[in-house]
């Protein structure tokens, strides 16, 4: 339809992505909508279009407004607004994907994003917790706290066990059902649903299963029986746990433990810690890639540098080095 607004075309693009083989998670769709909304606002400003507060900016625009000049001006506006390189890069990626679809479907004759420059992102290594920090966090989560809202120690311990034992994303933990903890003669597996609806099974050690079993037993005593298809993790009120609830609980653990909180999604630091631990214990990159559910091995390979940094620190503090530093040879022994 030649007179379709960009708002309508954005909905068709999102429908197309949802229906594609890889699918699209709710979080990804929310991010796309926020990015396209930001583009719509910036493009409307560039073209001098006054958008009512109750109207989506893209509804006031059509494909003719998607020019290379307008997109460059909008990208510059994001920079002036102080948006981070990561945010600007993500927005440009969303616009490129959308415009490529608009060209394929005949709504644009040429791709106006070809001259857009992606901001250079600073190379930041993932932050992993030390054993000492992990111990403090576990102790904080395992200790009753009178001002903690909705504290359920066995749930907290189960959360830590799942994060530390399998390295899942927070969204994957939220999506777990009771039957996703699979047990057989060889041990236990955690069945995770990752990005794009992809499934993977990750082995989980008995030491990580035990806190989950303790939580499930206590849940049965408190809230009554549950079905295999029910959410694995629920609050004391019986409601399925959400991403926000997990982030709140993790924030409380860090605060009470006195551990410096990393930037970004707090719970993700456990995924980083799991990944570095797998490599330090001798796991291969391919094994780690499968466990984390990365589609690209290059994404996984960043953990090799973090693991190597840790090994260098370990080498510098090895006991034999301390003895060598403290014990100096006599001049005769040194051959002088």
């Amino acid at each position: 339809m030649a007179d379709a607004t960009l708002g309508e075309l954005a909905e068709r693009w999102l429908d197309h992505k949802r229906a594609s083989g890889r699918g699209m998670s709710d979080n990804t769709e929310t991010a796309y909508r926020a990015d396209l909304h930001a583009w719509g606002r910036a493009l409307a400003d560039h073209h001098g279009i006054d958008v009512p507060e109750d109207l989506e900016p893209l509804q006031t625009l059509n494909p003719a407004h998607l020019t290379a000049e307008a997109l460059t001006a909008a990208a510059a506006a994001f920079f002036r607004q102080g948006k981070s390189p990561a945010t600007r890069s993500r927005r440009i990626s969303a616009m490129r994907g959308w415009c490529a679809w608009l060209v394929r479907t005949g709504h644009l004759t040429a791709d106006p994003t070809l001259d857009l420059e992606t901001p250079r992102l600073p190379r930041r290594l993932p932050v992993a917790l030390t054993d000492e920090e992990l111990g403090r966090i576990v102790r904080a989560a395992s200790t009753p706290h009178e001002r903690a809202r909705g504290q359920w120690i066995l749930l907290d311990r189960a959360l830590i066990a799942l994060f530390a034992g399998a390295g899942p994303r927070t969204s994957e933990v939220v999506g777990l059902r009771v039957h996703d903890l699979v047990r057989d003669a060889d041990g236990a597996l955690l069945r995770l649903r990752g990005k794009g609806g992809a499934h993977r099974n990750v082995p989980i050690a008995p030491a990580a299963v035990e806190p989950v079993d303790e939580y499930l037993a206590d849940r049965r005593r408190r809230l009554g029986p549950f079905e295999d298809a029910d959410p694995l993790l629920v609050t004391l009120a019986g409601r399925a746990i959400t991403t926000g609830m997990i982030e709140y609980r993790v924030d409380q653990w860090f605060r009470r433990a006195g551990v410096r909180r990393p930037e970004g999604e707090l719970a993700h630091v456990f995924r980083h810690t799991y990944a570095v631990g797998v490599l330090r214990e001798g796991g291969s990159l391919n094994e780690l890639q499968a466990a984390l559910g990365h589609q690209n091995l290059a994404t996984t390979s960043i953990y090799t540098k973090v693991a190597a940094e840790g090994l260098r620190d370990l080498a510098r503090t090895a006991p034999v080095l301390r003895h060598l530093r403290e014990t100096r040879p006599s001049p005769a022994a040194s051959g002088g």
Side-chain angles (χ1 to χ4, degrees), residues 132-145 148 151 153 156-157 160 249-259:
E132 190 269 340
E133 288 172 332
L134 271 176
R136 286 161 60 185
I137 288 172
V138 170
R139 286 191 292 274
S142 303
T143 303
H145 194 272
Q151 186 176 27
I153 285 175
D156 287 350
R157 288 174 57 83
I160 291 178
R249 300 180 97 88
V250 176
D251 178 69
Q252 293 302 304
W253 303 341
F254 273 84
R255 289 179 184 276
R256 297 202 299 269
V259 174

Side-chain angles (χ1 to χ4, degrees), residues 211-234:
V212 180
D213 284 340
E214 291 173 350
Y215 148 77
L216 287 173
D218 192 50
R219 169 180 168 178
R220 188 175 285 106
R221 285 192 296 269
R222 290 172 179 265
L223 304 176
F226 46 82
E227 302 293 333
D228 283 349
D230 288 343
L232 177 63
L233 302 171
V234 300

Side-chain angles (χ1 to χ4, degrees), residues 26-40:
D26 291 341
N27 288 342
T28 300
E29 180 175 349
T30 299
Y32 274 132
R33 289 186 181 281
D35 290 339
L36 293 180
H37 174 84
W39 279 108

Side-chain angles (χ1 to χ4, degrees), residues 28-208:
T28 300
E29 180 175 349
T30 299
Y32 274 132
R33 289 186 181 281
D35 290 339
L36 293 180
H37 174 84
W39 279 108
R41 177 63 62 187
L43 288 169
D45 290 344
H46 173 76
H47 288 290
I49 298 174
D50 186 24
V51 182
E53 286 295 324
D54 60 345
L55 185 64
E56 164 59 48
L58 289 173
Q59 295 291 0
T60 68
L61 302 168
N62 60 59
H65 291 111
L66 285 177
T67 65
E69 177 190 5
L71 291 181
T72 300
F78 298 151
F79 176 80
R80 291 194 301 272
Q81 293 164 8
K83 300 303 179 184
S84 70
T87 296
R88 289 184 283 127
S89 178
R90 191 194 66 234
R91 287 181 179 176
I92 288 173
S93 176
M95 179 56 73
R96 281 181 175 147
W98 186 30
C99 285
W101 178 83
L102 289 171
V103 171
R104 288 198 307 272
T105 53
H107 295 286
L108 287 176
T109 57
D111 190 340
T113 68
L114 296 179
D115 292 331
L116 282 180
E117 293 187 9
T118 302
R120 185 181 298 276
L121 298 179
R123 186 67 167 176
R124 291 191 300 178
L125 294 178
V127 176
L129 297 169
T130 66
D131 285 345
E132 190 269 340
E133 288 172 332
L134 271 176
R136 286 161 60 185
I137 288 172
V138 170
R139 286 191 292 274
S142 303
T143 303
H145 194 272
E146 59 184 15
R147 291 193 299 274
R149 177 163 51 90
Q151 186 176 27
W152 187 0
I153 285 175
L154 292 182
L155 171 60
D156 287 350
R157 288 174 57 83
L159 272 170
I160 291 178
L162 291 170
F163 279 123
R169 302 176 179 91
T170 305
S171 59
E172 293 170 346
V173 171
V174 168
L176 284 171
R177 302 290 167 175
V178 174
H179 58 59
D180 288 326
L181 183 56
V182 182
R183 310 156 200 265
D184 57 29
D186 296 325
L189 295 171
L190 199 61
R191 189 163 49 202
L192 298 170
R193 283 170 287 279
K195 291 184 177 181
H199 288 66
R200 69 185 187 281
N201 294 328
V202 181
I204 184 166

